[in-house]
Amino acid sequence: MDPIVSIKALSKRYANGFEALKSVTLDIEKGEILALLGPNGAGKTTLISTICGIVTPSEGSVTVAGHDIVTDYRKTRAMIGLVPQELTTDAFESVFDTVSFTRGLFGKKRDDAVVERVLKSLSLWDKKDNKIMMLSGGMKRRVLIAKALAHEPEILFLDEPTAGVDMELRKDMWEVVRDLRRTGVTIILTTHYIEEAEEIADRIGVINNGELLLVEEKQALMQKMGQKQLTLDLQAPLDALPDSLMDYALELGDGGTSLTYTYDTQAKRTGITALLGDLSAAGISFRDLRTSQSSLEEIFVSLVKDSA
């Protein structure tokens, strides 16, 4: 199946010479949730804005369902919904009217049933007559999504959709995103919250300094780049590691009462069996052991640091 969005060698260079995007190539599959992670100024918003037709690319191409975003811009923009970081609308307008108005901007005829369905899916129907200024921050975020869905797009871009909202509302928004995906909508989101990508994304993309560093399935990324640690709670504290254990990636902690061994998850041999044998030979015994794996946050920080 062809990707619903195909980006080829996309670059954006401004008049002052600044390169916001550097030859980005990416295919996005229909019905997936793709999370783009990156620090401030990494190029996330520029990439989304270019696909949506807000920013003109310097080089490269983007197609949406086979249509070029430049030559077939009417078709591509009709297929895309964008949820920006800020709500810009008349503060005294009602929720229902602002969503209906957005639908009209895409040349869609008035359809109160569609607007009603969108508002109900986002738990906004009871707020339909409220003025925008009366809504909480979390509800305004929902209105942003409702406006983006008013013309029934197949692709939804979410630019930091949960920035500034509390954890409870963030989890509610995650469920909204999952529900949208279940209806067949393809979702691309940018976020600073690592746990957000870890919770809802199918694939993770990491971007920094305008370059797409990698795109991987979430679980494959964590397995490929994550490290595992084996932590041993010792029977008796150690002042220092014996020479026989110096070849292992070991670290003493908790005042010498714990020993942590770090190993590669992709290695054919972890070295754990040999380590346990050498511990026994050195007269070191333990009362408990446990394993842990690198989090997505640790992987992300490592990638960005290496690319700086």
Side-chain angles (χ1 to χ4, degrees):
M1 183 182 296
D2 292 333
I4 194 165
V5 178
S6 184
I7 305 164
K8 304 296 184 187
L10 189 68
S11 297
K12 176 60 183 177
R13 189 180 304 105
Y14 289 95
N16 63 2
F18 174 69
E19 285 189 284
L21 295 175
K22 303 173 184 176
S23 194
V24 172
T25 295
L26 171 65
D27 285 338
I28 301 170
E29 303 301 325
K30 182 175 176 60
E32 75 168 322
I33 300 177
L34 173 69
L36 285 174
L37 300 176
N40 289 328
K44 302 186 301 296
T45 298
T46 303
L47 179 58
I48 284 180
S49 299
T50 303
I51 299 170
C52 294
I54 300 170
V55 172
T56 302
S58 302
E59 297 170 3
S61 65
V62 180
T63 59
V64 176
H67 303 291
D68 187 272
I69 62 166
V70 177
T71 59
D72 296 327
Y73 66 91
R74 289 187 184 278
K75 290 180 179 178
T76 60
R77 292 179 192 180
M79 297 178 65
I80 292 173
L82 171 63
V83 180
Q85 295 181 26
E86 300 294 337
L87 176 63
T88 53
T89 188
D90 185 348
F92 296 97
E93 192 172 23
S94 73
V95 170
F96 188 92
D97 287 343
T98 193
V99 175
S100 296
F101 177 73
T102 301
R103 178 177 172 82
L105 291 177
F106 287 86
K108 295 278 189 176
K109 67 178 183 180
R110 183 184 177 100
D111 192 328
D112 292 353
V114 170
V115 175
E116 178 181 345
R117 184 173 70 248
V118 169
L119 294 180
K120 284 182 175 178
S121 71
L122 293 164
S123 300
L124 284 170
W125 183 242
D126 61 335
K127 308 289 185 183
K128 66 182 186 298
D129 297 321
N130 285 23
K131 306 300 182 184
I132 299 297
M133 64 180 297
M134 299 168 58
L135 300 179
S136 66
M139 284 297 173
K140 287 179 181 177
R141 291 282 176 185
R142 291 173 187 260
V143 173
L144 279 171
I145 297 178
K147 284 165 61 66
L149 293 173
H151 64 290
E152 302 167 274
E154 296 180 40
I155 305 162
L156 185 64
F157 287 92
L158 300 158
D159 198 1
E160 298 186 27
T162 60
V165 304
D166 61 36
M167 192 62 203
E168 183 177 356
L169 278 174
R170 197 179 306 162
K171 289 182 177 179
D172 288 344
M173 297 292 276
W174 294 348
E175 196 53 46
V176 167
V177 170
R178 291 191 188 97
D179 287 342
L180 288 172
R181 197 263 294 275
R182 282 192 278 268
T183 67
V185 177
T186 302
I187 298 167
I188 301 94
L189 65 92
T190 70
T191 180
H192 284 299
Y193 300 113
I194 307 297
E195 75 273 18
E196 191 158 77
E198 198 164 2
E199 177 70 24
I200 64 175
D202 299 309
R203 288 196 298 160
I204 306 288
V206 178
I207 188 169
N208 193 34
N209 295 323
E211 295 183 80
L212 190 63
L213 303 180
L214 62 79
V215 180
E216 291 272 3
E217 289 187 7
K218 177 176 59 182
Q219 296 303 328
L221 173 63
M222 295 183 70
Q223 185 175 13
K224 180 189 296 184
M225 304 197 68
Q227 291 183 320
K228 271 197 171 181
Q229 291 184 326
L230 173 70
T231 301
L232 303 160
D233 294 328
L234 304 179
Q235 290 282 9
L238 289 176
D239 294 327
L241 290 173
D243 292 341
S244 60
L245 299 177
M246 288 301 180
D247 289 339
Y248 295 97
L250 293 169
E251 182 179 347
L252 274 173
D254 300 324
T257 61
S258 69
L259 194 59
T260 300
Y261 172 54
T262 302
Y263 58 97
D264 186 353
T265 58
Q266 297 299 299
K268 291 183 178 180
R269 296 183 178 180
T270 63
I272 292 177
T273 302
L275 171 63
L276 295 178
D278 288 343
L279 284 171
S280 178
I284 300 172
S285 56
F286 58 92
R287 63 176 182 273
D288 194 15
L289 59 81
R290 58 191 178 277
T291 61
S292 61
Q293 187 165 353
S294 298
S295 67
L296 183 57
E297 181 171 8
E298 291 168 327
I299 296 170
F300 168 70
V301 170
S302 175
L303 283 169
V304 171
K305 183 178 178 181
D306 289 344
S307 69

